[in-house]
Amino acid sequence: MKKREFLKVSGIITAGAMVSPLITSCGDTSGDSNQSDAPAGLFSQPELGFDYAALEPNIDARTMEIHYSKHHAGYTKKFNAALQGNADFANQTVEEILANLKDDNASEGIRNNGGGFYNHSLFWSIMAADAGGTPQGDIANAINASFGSFEAFQDKFSEAAATVFGSGWAWLCKDDENKLFITSTPNQDNPLMGNIVEQSGTPILGIDVWEHAYYLNYQNERKKYIGNFFNVINWKAVEGRLVG
Ligand code: MN3
C-alpha cells in the first residue's frame, strides 16, 4: 500500500495545515471548517474538491454545505479532541487507528469521530461533478469479475445501502487479494475496523445513508438518493483507490 494513501497524524503539523492526500492543498480555506478551533497537531479536514453546488441536482448545495462544514468539521474536531487523551494512538495514521480499535482500547469518541472523519474524507473524494456513468478500465474489470456485471453490482450496492437500519454506510471494498465485496456498517463504523465489524477490508467507495446526507432534498426517499448517487460517482477516483 502506498504511503500517499494515508492521512498522517503528526505532532509537528500545525492546525490548519492540510495533511490529507485525498485532495492536496494548503492552508485553512474555510471559515466554517472549525480548523482554528482544533487542537494543534492532529488531523485536518481535507478540502472539498468542488463547490457545494457542484453535485446538484443529485446532491443539493445546502446539504453539501451543512454536511461538510458542520457534520464533517464536527467529527474532525471531536476526533482530535478524543485523541488528546489517548496515548495509544500517537503517531498513527487514521487507517492504523481504525484498524487497531478494539472495544476495550478506544473511547466511543475515537471510534465514532475517527470513523466520521475518515468516512466523509473518503466520501468527498469519490464524488465529482460531471461524473457517474459506467466505469471503465481496471475498476470495471474488477466489478465485472466480482459481481458479473455493472448492473448486478449496482443492484447489490443499492440494496446494501437501502437496507442499512437507521444511520450508517454501504461500502464497496477490496480484500487482501484485491477482490471486491460489498458490505455495510452502522453509525460511523467502517470496514477498516477489523476488530469490530463483521467483514473487514479496504473501502474504495462508500455512500453515507445517514438522513443528514439526503433529507433536505429527498426527505424519506432514501432509495431515490441512492439511485442518484450513481450520477456523481467519480470512477477514476474509485479506481485510484483500487490500484493504490
Ligand atoms: Mn454524513
Side-chain angles (χ1 to χ4, degrees):
M1 186 171 294
K2 293 177 183 173
K3 289 297 181 192
R4 66 181 169 78
E5 288 287 307
F6 290 85
L7 308 178
K8 290 188 180 293
V9 179
S10 171
I12 59 171
I13 295 174
T14 57
M18 301 305 295
V19 296
S20 168
L22 296 170
I23 301 163
T24 54
S25 66
C26 293
D28 186 2
T29 57
S30 167
D32 292 328
S33 72
N34 286 346
Q35 286 307 308
S36 59
D37 298 330
L42 294 167
F43 293 97
S44 294
Q45 194 179 11
E47 190 177 327
L48 201 58
F50 43 81
D51 294 338
Y52 291 139
L55 305 183
E56 287 195 345
N58 301 292
I59 300 178
D60 65 284
R62 183 71 175 137
T63 294
M64 275 304 310
E65 179 178 3
I66 296 170
H67 205 172
Y68 179 81
S69 72
K70 304 300 182 191
H71 291 280
H72 192 203
Y75 291 125
T76 305
K77 184 178 175 180
K78 290 174 187 170
F79 181 37
N80 285 329
L83 286 171
Q84 294 285 300
N86 193 323
D88 290 351
F89 301 111
N91 300 315
Q92 294 186 13
T93 65
V94 64
E95 288 88 348
E96 289 167 341
I97 292 171
L98 299 180
N100 290 331
L101 286 182
K102 294 174 189 163
D103 284 334
D104 62 355
N105 74 352
S107 65
E108 285 294 302
I110 293 177
R111 176 175 172 177
N112 291 335
N113 295 298
F117 168 74
Y118 178 89
N119 294 348
H120 290 87
S121 298
L122 183 150
F123 191 46
W124 315 138
S125 80
I126 54 82
M127 295 190 289
D130 303 317
T134 306
Q136 306 293 324
D138 289 344
I139 185 65
N141 294 337
I143 285 172
N144 291 336
S146 297
F147 305 105
S149 68
F150 178 61
E151 290 70 28
F153 156 75
Q154 273 188 304
D155 287 347
K156 195 169 182 189
F157 185 83
S158 299
E159 180 71 10
T163 55
V164 172
F165 183 76
S167 300
W169 294 73
W171 306 100
L172 175 64
C173 299
K174 62 178 179 181
D175 66 17
D176 291 342
E177 297 172 339
N178 261 14
K179 291 209 176 90
L180 300 184
F181 66 92
I182 290 167
T183 189
S184 63
T185 52
N187 304 313
Q188 295 295 352
D189 288 354
N190 71 46
L192 293 175
M193 301 177 182
N195 299 313
I196 292 173
V197 298
E198 284 178 22
Q199 204 173 6
S200 65
T202 302
I204 62 171
L205 169 69
I207 180 171
D208 185 344
V209 294
W210 284 57
E211 284 190 343
H212 69 227
Y214 64 89
Y215 203 86
L216 286 180
N217 196 26
Y218 294 96
Q219 289 79 53
N220 60 315
E221 297 188 89
R222 186 194 286 187
K223 284 186 179 173
K224 198 170 168 188
Y225 158 68
I226 295 165
N228 287 344
F229 171 70
F230 285 95
N231 296 330
V232 297
I233 296 176
N234 180 354
W235 285 111
K236 274 288 159 205
V238 178
E239 185 174 61
R241 289 178 172 275
L242 172 69
V243 302

